[in-house]
Amino acid sequence: MDFATSLAPYWYFHLPNFILAALMYTMLGRVLLGLMVDADSPNYIWRFFCRVTDPVITLIAIATPKAAPPVVLWLFGFVWLFWLRVALHYTLLLLNLAPRLGGAAS
Amino acid sequence: MNRNFYFIGIAFFGMINGIFNQLWLIFALLYVQILAGPLLFGSLSLTLMLASLMVSTATVILGGIPAAIYERVTGASESNNVSLWIWLAGTAILTLPAAGNFLKIGL
């Protein structure tokens, strides 16, 4: 089964995996862009990154000590989302519901 | 104690777990290859480094959860010595499985 044909039967894996991947890379984008722009910059890409990732950051901040500065929180967010994707695939794998290795999206 | 010493200790334990925890490193390596392989140009060295970084950071994150709970429960407005000690101890406990390899091999 190639990737294209695995999309429909495994939509319950691919859809959340895609959303988590998009969030994960947006978080990385926020870290990289944060090196160049101010926190209150009106840059529309920056504002988009902030708007998309802020809800995740709010959740992560609850489970992170307050000593962690914002940029560390963003990096933690990237790692959280990576492990969430791993957990999603591994859980489905244990339930024999996941696509095999070749079918996972990058 | 200066706060920086806590952070150095937390990062140190995270690094040790990321490098020497065989089980989690191999598990992470398998998934990094699938999830981020093409982004790393298919390079095994880069994949291994990212996998190690993921395990290290996960150790620091998980070690920080009890400290964050402590801060929320006590209503602290900032991290204090107690919460940083909890964070350090949590990270150290998570690093125990890798301590044997670290002591045997060393940096």
Side-chain angles (χ1 to χ4, degrees):
Chain A
M1 185 185 288
D2 62 25
F3 178 68
T5 52
S6 83
L7 275 177
Y10 294 112
W11 66 269
Y12 52 83
F13 165 71
H14 289 299
L15 189 65
N17 185 46
F18 178 80
I19 293 167
L20 289 172
L23 274 172
M24 187 176 113
Y25 291 117
T26 309
M27 197 77 80
L28 191 61
R30 184 173 177 173
V31 173
L32 295 175
L33 200 58
L35 299 172
M36 289 170 266
V37 301
D38 292 329
D40 55 351
S41 167
N43 179 293
Y44 67 95
I45 299 173
W46 174 251
R47 280 190 288 123
F48 171 77
F49 281 1
C50 291
R51 188 172 295 180
V52 168
T53 55
D54 271 347
V56 183
I57 297 292
T58 309
L59 285 176
I60 290 164
I62 296 169
T64 308
K66 288 173 180 162
V71 68
V72 172
L73 263 184
W74 306 338
L75 286 168
F76 280 7
F78 178 78
V79 177
W80 264 107
L81 290 164
F82 169 82
W83 284 108
L84 274 178
R85 292 176 70 197
V86 170
L88 171 72
H89 185 258
Y90 196 70
T91 309
L92 291 176
L93 202 61
L94 289 179
L95 299 170
N96 213 15
L97 291 170
R100 294 294 154 180
L101 293 180
S106 38
Chain B
M1 187 159 74
N2 187 327
R3 279 188 159 209
N4 289 338
F5 290 117
Y6 290 110
F7 298 135
I8 290 168
I10 290 164
F12 174 77
F13 285 126
M15 179 189 72
I16 297 301
N17 205 34
I19 295 173
F20 294 104
N21 194 326
Q22 294 168 340
L23 180 70
W24 279 102
L25 190 56
I26 289 173
F27 186 74
L29 181 64
L30 287 173
Y31 271 100
V32 169
Q33 267 189 323
I34 303 164
L35 298 175
L39 290 175
L40 302 168
F41 316 107
S43 160
L44 185 63
S45 313
L46 284 177
T47 311
L48 187 60
M49 272 195 268
L50 186 67
S52 180
L53 197 62
M54 288 295 164
V55 176
S56 299
T57 316
T59 309
V60 174
I61 289 171
L62 291 177
I65 291 175
I69 292 170
Y70 170 80
E71 287 174 7
R72 291 335 176 255
V73 168
T74 56
S77 59
E78 257 307 309
S79 292
N80 51 36
N81 276 340
V82 179
S83 67
L84 289 174
W85 261 116
I86 294 171
W87 195 357
L88 183 65
T91 317
I93 289 167
L94 289 173
T95 306
L96 282 179
N101 278 341
F102 170 61
L103 293 174
K104 196 163 67 184
I105 301 166
L107 286 176

